[in-house]
Amino acid sequence: MIPADHPRYRSLVARERLAACAREGVVTLEGLTAHGRGEAFDYLIGERTTESALLAEHIAAAMLLSARLPVISVNGNTAALAAAALAGLQGASRARVEVNLFHRTEERVEKITRILESAGVEVLKGRAEPLLPLSHPRALCLREGIFSADTILVPLEDGDRCAALVAMGKRVIAIDLNPLSRTARTATLTVVDELTRALPGITRACREIDPEEGERLMKSPDNSYFLRAAMDEIRGHLEHALD
Ligand code: PTJ
């Protein structure tokens, strides 16, 4: 039992949740190490949504709202940490939700689907086919989901698949605390923010922006601006971290 007044309460609760989900086979052991890397970058950025990340969240919302077919790709970590937030974003953006895994087994897909559904997410079902230009089994996705989507939100993606999706002509929105990752550098737009802050941030933006503002946001700075801004914010935070 984690005491609610512990200064690292949120972080400890997230770890406990991921560890429990790892024991149930929902999150992989690799997913735990990926979370650790994310936590390290979150420390560096000051564990807050920066101004540039907030702008990226508004652009992400505009991209989802203007998409012909928006899809959110969900992996084990995302389902463990943010199932309820995904339900909120699906409601605000009308995006389809597809479970798509790096370490894919049908058993994990089913377990993750159950977690999402019990949080109120409508999960796309069907027979996954090898439709992406990647080596098996990462090529697997749903024809009515990721394959047909024009805009895909990929929280915690691997760089290879992000590059493949972009090469297929899709607009890819990544959520990644590491501005140096291949995913962050390959995506159409990277939201450099922690998943459980970023998803509600994009949901709020979906509810706030009108079509005119959406059009203006779509003309906003490109991905490299957001990666540089994140590096500047890390640098600025480090300069004052021990004051
Ligand atoms: O459930 P699966 O089988 O699909 O596997 C999922 C993992 C996460 C293991 C897989 O996608 C993977 O290996 O991811 P990577 O390549 O380690 O990338 C994860 C990225 O997400 C890293 O750059 C981390 O910094 C970042 N990250 C980790 N936790 C968070 C995060 N970014 C935002 N919020 C987080 N909570």
Side-chain angles (χ1 to χ4, degrees):
M1 181 69 181
I2 299 160
D5 61 351
H6 192 288
R8 303 289 309 155
Y9 179 76
R10 266 180 65 88
S11 158
L12 295 178
V13 168
R15 286 181 180 186
E16 192 175 61
R17 170 82 181 142
L18 284 166
C21 286
R23 282 191 283 272
E24 286 162 17
V26 169
V27 169
T28 57
L29 294 179
E30 291 85 349
L32 297 182
T33 64
H35 181 76
R37 183 193 292 165
E39 274 195 334
F41 274 98
D42 208 16
Y43 254 91
L44 295 177
I45 214 153
E47 296 181 306
R48 72 211 151 101
T49 300
T50 62
E51 245 175 71
S52 62
L54 191 63
L55 174 59
E57 284 161 19
H58 278 74
I59 299 172
M63 287 169 73
L64 290 172
L65 293 176
S66 66
R68 176 183 49 77
L69 178 53
V71 169
I72 306 171
S73 173
V74 178
N75 65 14
N77 288 41
T78 306
L81 292 177
L86 282 167
L89 180 55
Q90 183 175 48
S93 69
R94 65 176 175 83
R96 292 183 181 169
V97 169
E98 174 172 342
V99 177
N100 202 278
L101 305 178
F102 186 85
H103 306 281
R104 188 183 182 103
T105 65
E106 289 318 305
E107 196 189 346
R108 282 191 70 221
V109 172
E110 276 165 31
K111 285 180 181 175
I112 291 166
T113 299
R114 277 202 294 276
I115 288 183
L116 293 174
E117 286 181 339
S118 55
V121 178
E122 197 180 311
V123 180
L124 196 63
K125 307 257 178 54
R127 193 174 55 84
E129 301 171 61
L131 298 169
L132 307 181
L134 288 167
S135 56
H136 189 78
R138 289 180 307 137
L140 292 170
C141 71
L142 297 178
R143 194 172 284 278
E144 313 70 37
I146 287 172
F147 180 72
S148 305
D150 61 335
T151 303
I152 307 176
L153 173 65
V154 286
L156 279 63
E157 181 61 336
D158 82 283
D160 232 21
R161 215 169 59 116
C162 182
L165 294 172
V166 170
M168 288 170 82
K170 299 176 189 302
R171 300 190 299 186
V172 178
I173 306 161
I175 298 174
D176 193 336
L177 277 160
N178 176 4
L180 299 172
S181 76
R182 282 191 56 235
T183 299
R185 287 186 286 136
T186 315
T188 316
L189 174 73
T190 303
V191 177
V192 185
D193 197 6
E194 204 279 324
L195 175 71
T196 63
R197 297 193 300 266
L199 290 176
I202 299 171
T203 304
R204 268 192 302 278
C206 281
R207 299 215 167 97
E208 279 166 21
I209 56 179
D210 56 41
E212 212 172 286
E213 193 187 359
E215 257 177 55
R216 187 180 56 74
L217 283 164
M218 297 283 286
K219 295 186 193 122
S220 297
D222 68 6
N223 192 40
S224 62
Y225 163 82
F226 291 102
L227 303 186
R228 280 178 215 285
M231 295 302 288
D232 288 344
E233 274 146 348
I234 288 173
R235 219 173 284 122
H237 177 67
L238 288 180
E239 271 166 23
H240 300 288
L242 299 178
D243 289 354

